[in-house]
Amino acid sequence: MKNKKSYVYIGLPVLGMIFYLAYIRRSAIDMVYSDYIRLINSYLPDVWNPDKFFVADLLTRIPVNFLERGLNVMIFGYSVTVDRIMGILGFGLSALVIGRYSRKKELCPVWYAAMMIVMFSLNKWEMLYNGTGWAHFLAFGLFFWNYALLDQVYEKGFRNAKKSELVLLFVLPFVITIGAAGPYCAIYTVTIVMAYLFIYVRDIVIAKSLSGKYQAKADRQNLSSTDRKNVSGKGRENAGVIGVISDDLAGIGTVRVIALIAVAVIPFLIYLWSNSQAVYEYSGAVNVPLFTAFRQDPKFFIKFLLKSFASMVFGVELIDRSFAGIPGKVWCAVGVIVLFAYFFALWMNFYYRIEEQTILPLMLLAGGGMNHLMVLVSRYIFMPNDKYGMSSRYALQYQIGVIGIFLTFALAASCGFRGREERGDSKSADGGRKAARAGHSADSNGQKNTRMICVKTLSIALAAMFLIGNVMTTAEEFRFGKHRKEHNRDEVKQILLNFENESDKTLEDALEYHKPGCREALTVLKENGWNIWR
């Protein structure tokens, strides 16, 4: 039975990838559009030209793209479908990492299944549909891998980690940030730096606690100064051997934490330099400094942020098509509930002592929350459109926080939603806090049971909200997908095949690219027999 259950943790991510492949087949044709026009004019037909690779803003263009693009042109004639499949596989890596983690923690299959349904929601359809974003899916898969590896080392203690694990912790940030992360490296870097600082500070607190405990023991036993050193020395020797689950040190150490933070920050600084060399153009953006815009309309920022949180329950396309008459205040209220779920999960991580065993949920919560803030800070320029942050192109960034929420709920459920008091504390002086005294125990147990029921009920209700909203979003997008395919196959493709006789305005509308270069890009494809001319 246990082996059969283990297949669930691998099988559901595989089924999710198959579902995404089915969506792409139902909704899309192999035809360039949007950002592909810029890429064609920038890199094709001489796709292997090193002069187009070694440029100052190289890292903003994501180096792994150059290899994949070259192979795509040589083997598949510049297929958008190949890019989309690469994106699905990259996202599958994220799901498989979570599946492996869930199997290791023996999470309830029901909680895990609910999490996978939310994870493979079509709330990110635009990223799936636009194949140019395939590297972003890969980047998040690599982020999850790095987070899970750090969590694995944290649980066993740095002293007990394999050499290969420690080497990877030093190597991965550089490879991921330079090779694949692109603009998402900021939150990735901050997240792992915060994780290292959390582990380091926790070690210091525990070390002081252990030192005080052994000092008190020595005082009670009237030990000599030599014996005092022996007692405290034994504590230091054993710290980290059992692992942080038993409140021993993780053993990260000052030198190691400085080195780990350095190898994370240095590639990020290199990326910032590369990004400073890039020139960005935004259509419809306002040229107003952040703080000036905030003073002009602070309500816009609040609504933008809350609606971005709400988009993790109901996709913006579902809202526009099915709930257009509902006032914006309702979606702000949904955003408040999602924000509450973040803080509720954060509290649960400490109340249930989840952070003593694993910090992956905390890392995902931090990453998700910071992504909401980053989108706000970088996209406020589209004011007064406070729904811009709900766009499906940002769902990939936001969703890691929701996964952190679900993991927290599932881990709490694995201990029966019993808090620290219910589970007892074997390390207390009298051997375990035996429910205070007889006269107070009945009231205390009643309060604990009430709290347990409330937390369990609230967790299930919040999870159900995410699940129902994402199922509705997925169903709506899957239903609408066939109309996208019919439109592109029957109308847009015919315009592109006849582009020499069409106006620039018609081509820009058909390709959803309202900038110069459409005709030039299509000429490159036709002359080389690529994409729709293959």
Side-chain angles (χ1 to χ4, degrees):
M1 178 63 73
K2 188 174 182 179
N3 290 333
K4 290 182 179 180
K5 185 186 295 186
S6 66
Y7 291 129
V8 173
Y9 301 110
I10 299 175
L12 290 182
V14 173
L15 287 176
M17 287 186 278
I18 293 173
F19 170 70
Y20 272 179
L21 290 171
Y23 166 75
I24 290 300
R25 185 180 183 194
R26 173 182 172 85
S27 307
I29 65 172
D30 196 351
M31 181 187 71
V32 298
Y33 83 111
S34 189
D35 291 340
Y36 276 97
I37 305 306
R38 174 181 57 82
L39 297 178
I40 293 168
N41 290 328
S42 299
Y43 303 109
L44 274 62
D46 51 344
V47 70
W48 295 111
N49 185 351
D51 292 336
K52 295 182 178 181
F53 179 81
F54 294 105
V55 292
D57 62 338
L58 165 66
L59 300 187
T60 66
R61 308 184 186 200
I62 310 180
V64 72
N65 269 324
F66 289 86
L67 175 61
E68 191 274 346
R69 186 183 300 116
L71 295 175
N72 191 350
V73 169
M74 289 181 61
I75 301 173
F76 302 104
Y78 206 39
S79 169
V80 177
T81 300
V82 170
D83 289 345
R84 290 165 175 155
I85 293 174
M86 290 292 293
I88 292 172
L89 294 176
F91 188 73
L93 174 60
S94 301
L96 289 171
V97 169
I98 294 299
R100 182 178 182 274
Y101 173 88
S102 300
R103 179 183 179 183
K104 179 182 176 183
K105 297 297 183 183
E106 297 183 347
L107 299 186
C108 171
V110 175
W111 277 103
Y112 177 67
M115 179 168 54
M116 285 294 106
I117 291 173
V118 172
M119 192 170 187
F120 281 95
S121 167
L122 287 177
N123 59 1
K124 63 188 76 61
W125 73 268
E126 191 172 354
M127 289 285 287
L128 289 168
Y129 204 87
N130 189 340
T132 60
W134 77 269
H136 301 324
F137 286 103
L138 173 63
F140 274 85
L142 296 175
F143 296 166
F144 275 59
W145 179 27
N146 197 162
Y147 297 159
L149 177 64
L150 173 55
D151 179 79
Q152 182 175 308
V153 173
Y154 168 75
E155 182 176 352
K156 69 172 67 174
F158 281 79
R159 292 187 181 91
N160 301 318
K162 297 178 182 177
K163 185 177 180 180
S164 60
E165 293 173 333
L166 295 177
V167 170
L168 280 174
L169 287 180
F170 279 95
V171 171
L172 281 179
F174 192 91
V175 173
I176 294 173
T177 301
I178 299 298
Y184 302 117
C185 66
I187 302 304
Y188 160 68
T189 301
V190 174
T191 299
I192 56 177
V193 167
M194 288 176 62
Y196 288 135
L197 291 175
F198 173 82
I199 297 170
Y200 183 67
V201 171
R202 189 172 182 276
D203 271 8
I204 293 175
V205 172
I206 293 173
K208 289 183 177 179
S209 176
L210 288 173
S211 177
K213 181 175 69 174
Y214 289 118
Q215 181 66 41
K217 182 177 179 180
D219 291 339
R220 287 195 304 271
Q221 297 177 357
N222 295 320
L223 298 178
S224 65
S225 60
T226 302
D227 291 334
R228 290 170 188 261
K229 292 180 180 179
N230 290 336
V231 171
S232 59
K234 289 178 182 179
R236 286 192 294 270
E237 290 172 3
N238 292 330
V241 174
I242 300 176
V244 294
I245 298 176
S246 56
D247 281 350
D248 287 325
L249 303 181
I252 191 171
T254 302
V255 174
R256 184 182 283 127
V257 76
I258 292 174
L260 286 168
I261 290 176
V263 297
V265 172
I266 290 173
F268 174 58
L269 295 177
I270 296 174
Y271 175 84
L272 289 180
W273 173 82
S274 180
N275 184 67
S276 68
Q277 309 301 309
V279 178
Y280 297 99
E281 296 181 2
Y282 298 109
S283 177
V286 296
N287 187 21
V288 179
L290 174 63
F291 292 106
T292 301
F294 181 77
R295 287 195 299 269
Q296 291 176 353
D297 189 3
K299 290 183 179 179
F300 164 82
F301 286 81
I302 297 174
K303 290 187 290 185
F304 186 106
L305 185 63
L306 292 179
K307 288 184 178 181
S308 72
F309 278 107
S311 68
M312 284 293 92
V313 181
F314 300 102
V316 67
E317 286 80 12
L318 173 67
I319 292 174
D320 290 340
R321 295 182 198 133
S322 303
F323 306 122
I326 297 178
K329 292 180 180 180
V330 173
W331 308 120
C332 289
V334 174
V336 170
I337 297 174
V338 174
L339 187 59
F340 168 78
Y342 267 86
F343 285 107
F344 183 56
L346 182 65
W347 170 80
M348 289 176 70
N349 270 277
F350 291 95
Y351 178 73
Y352 291 104
R353 292 180 171 175
I354 294 172
E355 42 77 32
E356 293 182 3
Q357 305 178 43
T358 174
I359 58 171
L360 180 59
L362 285 177
M363 285 190 281
L364 297 181
L365 288 170
M370 287 188 291
N371 271 308
H372 281 279
L373 293 176
M374 185 178 76
V375 171
L376 172 63
V377 170
S378 62
R379 295 294 182 264
Y380 78 91
I381 54 177
F382 294 100
M383 62 191 307
N385 181 11
D386 55 27
K387 288 174 62 178
Y388 192 86
M390 301 183 78
S391 172
S392 58
R393 68 175 62 95
Y394 303 122
L396 179 65
Q397 298 169 250
Y398 299 156
Q399 199 171 62
I400 63 174
V402 179
I403 301 304
I405 292 172
F406 267 86
L407 283 180
T408 300
F409 292 170
L411 288 165
S414 67
C415 68
F417 290 97
R418 292 178 293 112
R420 62 180 70 191
E421 296 93 343
E422 289 87 343
R423 289 183 291 163
D425 188 350
S426 61
K427 299 177 182 62
S428 60
D430 62 0
R433 288 185 187 150
K434 300 177 181 178
R437 294 290 179 257
H440 187 65
S441 61
D443 292 338
S444 178
N445 288 333
Q447 292 174 359
K448 294 170 188 175
N449 290 334
T450 301
R451 185 188 301 116
M452 180 182 69
I453 294 172
C454 290
V455 172
K456 182 177 180 179
T457 302
L458 189 54
S459 300
I460 294 174
L462 290 171
M465 177 190 70
F466 284 112
L467 185 62
I468 294 171
N470 277 272
V471 167
M472 293 175 62
T473 299
T474 298
E476 167 62 18
E477 178 53 37
F478 195 81
R479 179 198 66 80
F480 190 80
K482 66 177 183 179
H483 300 300
R484 300 185 195 279
K485 186 171 186 176
E486 291 171 356
H487 171 70
N488 287 324
R489 181 190 61 207
D490 300 337
E491 299 179 32
V492 177
K493 185 176 181 179
Q494 305 312 313
I495 293 174
L496 301 188
L497 290 173
N498 189 43
F499 75 93
E500 293 97 338
N501 302 317
E502 303 288 351
S503 67
D504 290 343
K505 178 66 167 58
T506 299
L507 294 179
E508 290 176 6
D509 290 341
L511 291 167
E512 300 178 27
Y513 189 80
H514 298 281
K515 299 175 185 177
C518 294
R519 197 176 302 276
E520 292 80 357
L522 295 174
T523 300
V524 170
L525 295 180
K526 183 175 182 179
E527 290 178 348
N528 290 275
W530 291 332
N531 199 248
I532 58 175
W533 284 278
R534 187 166 186 255

